[in-house]
């Protein structure tokens, strides 16, 4: 039986879906940057990312010196506009997450002026993104659940259920806009270089939707395989994930999700405009396609936020639009400075000074 007040249950137990030792450790102890950076898994993931980048530079025959010249010549004001556009997504993400939490009966209304205010929720999201940028396997999502549990004394499993729902919204919104932008860009003939992106996106969508459908239709079967002591925890997770999609707020969730991903596309638009003096010009549909493909690939769990993989694939996709590899490399690096390295730098400072971590 699911507790009436989800915030009162499950805080002392590990999340059930997915139940991994790493997530259990994050739920119990939070995120230790020093420990994460010493982890063999993290070191191997960064080594893999470096190897992929070196392979890409050699494989694409990128002139590193020329790429650096392109970067130095970029319009700083337009890059700053892209930076601002990207960071506008965080209040939208925080607002959407609060809606999901309220839908799931996580008692965030009690903390609207403190631990569940929009600035606080933005801080949790940003810290979780920072964790995702320095460790593989998206452990930052579990860290976000820990932060809300630690500061609001609410259920980790229920909070994790809303994060699962948020991931589903993001994947459906991102993949839908990706397909739409690809149709306007390529028509019915998709180039081979983009198939890996669509294949990976389709796989993620199927996996997440299947998980949600399984909880909805196979709940009694799933519960048979769960230890009795964790039934209540799973119930919180399941309730939160399913309740998050209450029909009454779906239109608002769709609007917020679409706005987030369109802003992600505009981020790359300003990066490309910053290099337009080099003869770089792409249709808006193509820019949105490349930006969304980049965001999709950050979900690859083998390296932190898809590091190395994103840079390689996006540089390769840009060549399809007749962008030289050195100029494409400059676009990719500048874009990743905004949506990866700025999070690493700013997130590190926030991690050190935050009173909520």
């Amino acid at each position: 039986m699911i507790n009436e007040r989800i915030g009162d249950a499950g805080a002392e137990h590990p999340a059930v879906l997915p139940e991994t030792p790493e997530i259990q450790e994050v739920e119990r102890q939070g995120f230790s940057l020093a420990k994460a950076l010493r982890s063999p898994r993290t070191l191997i993931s960064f080594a893999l990312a470096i190897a992929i980048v070196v392979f890409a530079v050699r494989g694409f025959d990128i002139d590193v010196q020329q790429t650096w010249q392109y970067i130095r010549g970029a319009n700083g004001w337009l890059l700053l506009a892209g930076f601002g556009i990207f960071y506008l997504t965080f209040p939208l993400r925080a607002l959407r997450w609060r809606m999901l939490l309220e839908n799931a009966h996580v008692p965030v209304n009690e903390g609207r002026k403190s631990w569940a205010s929009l600035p606080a929720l933005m801080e949790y999201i940003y810290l979780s993104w920072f964790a995702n940028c320095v460790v593989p396997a998206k452990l930052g999502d579990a860290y976000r659940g820990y932060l809300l549990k630690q500061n609001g004394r609410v259920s980790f499993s229920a909070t994790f259920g809303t994060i699962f729902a948020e991931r589903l919204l993001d994947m459906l919104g991102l993949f839908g806009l990706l397909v739409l932008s690809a149709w306007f860009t390529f028509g019915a003939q998709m180039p081979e270089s983009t198939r890996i992106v669509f294949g990976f996106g389709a796989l993620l969508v199927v996996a997440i939707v299947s998980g949600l459908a399984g909880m909805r239709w196979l709940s009694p079967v799933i519960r048979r395989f769960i230890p009795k002591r964790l039934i209540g925890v799973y119930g919180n997770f399941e309730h939160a994930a399913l309740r998050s999609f209450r029909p009454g707020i779906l239109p608002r969730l769709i609007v917020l999700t679409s706005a987030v991903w369109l802003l992600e596309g505009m981020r790359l638009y300003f990066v490309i405009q910053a290099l337009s003096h080099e003869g770089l010009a792409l249709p808006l549909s193509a820019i949105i396609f490349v930006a969304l493909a980049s965001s999709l690939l950050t979900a690859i769990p083998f390296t932190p936020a898809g590091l190395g993989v994103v840079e390689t694939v996006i540089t390769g996709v840009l060549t399809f639009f007749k962008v030289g590899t050195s100029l494409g490399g400059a676009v990719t690096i500048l874009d990743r400075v905004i949506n990866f390295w700025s999070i690493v730098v700013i997130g590190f400072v926030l991690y050190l000074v935050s009173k909520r971590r």
Side-chain angles (χ1 to χ4, degrees):
M1 191 72 175
I2 299 171
N3 283 318
E4 290 293 327
R5 187 173 184 272
I6 286 184
D8 294 335
E12 74 278 11
H13 298 295
V16 175
L17 286 180
E19 185 176 358
T20 67
E22 293 85 357
I23 287 179
Q24 291 179 24
E25 182 176 355
V26 170
E27 191 227 340
R28 289 193 303 267
Q29 303 176 11
F31 175 73
S32 169
L33 179 61
K35 186 175 181 180
L37 293 179
R38 292 196 305 266
S39 166
R41 184 175 182 178
T42 300
L43 296 175
I44 291 171
S45 70
F46 273 103
L48 177 61
I50 293 170
I52 293 172
V53 170
V54 171
F55 175 81
V57 170
R58 292 180 176 177
F60 289 129
D61 194 23
I62 294 175
D63 185 331
V64 177
Q65 187 173 5
Q66 182 63 60
T67 297
W68 175 241
Q69 291 301 317
Y70 287 138
I71 292 172
R72 289 186 60 187
N75 185 310
W77 291 109
L78 290 173
L79 290 176
L80 187 61
F83 181 89
I85 287 289
F86 173 66
Y87 276 84
L88 278 177
T89 65
F90 285 96
L92 296 181
R93 291 180 184 277
L95 179 61
R96 183 183 61 173
W97 188 31
R98 188 161 71 184
M99 291 170 62
L100 292 170
L101 289 164
E102 289 172 344
N103 250 12
H105 295 160
V106 177
V108 289
N109 283 331
E110 300 173 6
R112 274 182 173 266
K113 295 183 179 180
S114 55
W115 57 268
S117 65
L118 279 182
L121 295 178
M122 287 170 59
E123 184 174 339
Y124 304 148
I125 292 173
Y126 201 87
L127 285 170
S128 74
W129 279 40
F130 166 67
N132 281 335
C133 286
V134 295
V135 295
K138 289 288 185 181
L139 289 181
D141 291 351
Y143 182 41
R144 195 193 331 170
Y146 166 85
L147 289 170
L148 194 62
K149 174 193 123 178
Q150 193 72 4
N151 289 277
R153 303 299 174 187
V154 298
S155 165
F156 177 85
S157 54
T159 300
F160 206 69
T162 65
I163 295 171
F164 175 84
E166 180 189 273
R167 286 297 178 196
L168 176 57
L169 276 172
D170 274 335
M171 284 307 308
L172 290 176
L174 190 161
F175 193 67
L177 289 173
L178 187 70
V179 170
L180 191 62
S181 63
W183 176 263
F184 281 108
T185 304
F186 306 114
Q189 300 296 323
M190 293 288 177
E192 288 190 16
S193 57
T194 65
R195 290 179 185 175
I196 184 175
V197 176
F198 280 100
F200 180 66
L203 183 64
L204 282 179
V205 169
V206 169
I208 297 177
V209 171
S210 296
L212 192 69
M215 284 188 288
R216 175 66 180 85
W217 302 108
L218 300 175
S219 180
V221 177
I222 293 173
R223 289 168 186 255
R224 291 176 190 170
F225 295 95
I226 296 175
K228 289 184 178 180
R229 63 187 179 86
L230 296 179
I231 288 292
V233 183
Y234 172 76
N236 285 343
F237 177 90
E238 179 187 273
H239 177 85
L242 295 175
R243 179 72 185 178
S244 295
F245 295 105
R246 182 169 56 86
I249 69 160
L250 273 180
R252 283 176 286 167
L253 291 175
I254 291 171
V255 168
L256 284 171
T257 301
S258 299
V260 164
W261 292 113
L262 287 174
L263 286 174
E264 291 275 1
M266 294 308 297
R267 176 202 76 228
L268 182 62
Y269 171 81
F270 281 104
V271 171
I272 287 177
Q273 289 302 306
L275 292 166
S276 60
H277 61 282
E278 301 291 349
L280 180 60
L282 293 177
L284 183 59
S285 61
I287 293 173
I288 291 175
F289 172 79
V290 174
L292 296 183
S294 169
S295 297
L296 177 65
L297 292 170
T298 62
I300 292 175
F302 306 116
T303 64
L307 185 64
V309 179
V310 172
E311 288 79 357
T312 300
V313 174
I314 298 308
T315 302
V317 170
L318 285 171
T319 62
F320 181 82
F321 298 103
K322 311 302 181 185
V323 178
T325 54
S326 297
L327 183 55
V331 171
T332 304
I333 290 171
L334 289 172
D335 190 48
R336 291 293 269 170
V337 165
I338 293 173
N339 74 350
F340 180 87
W341 292 109
S342 75
I343 293 174
V344 172
V345 174
I346 299 173
F348 176 68
V349 175
L350 180 61
Y351 177 81
L352 292 179
V353 303
S354 175
K355 295 180 180 179
R356 294 189 171 104
R357 71 179 177 89

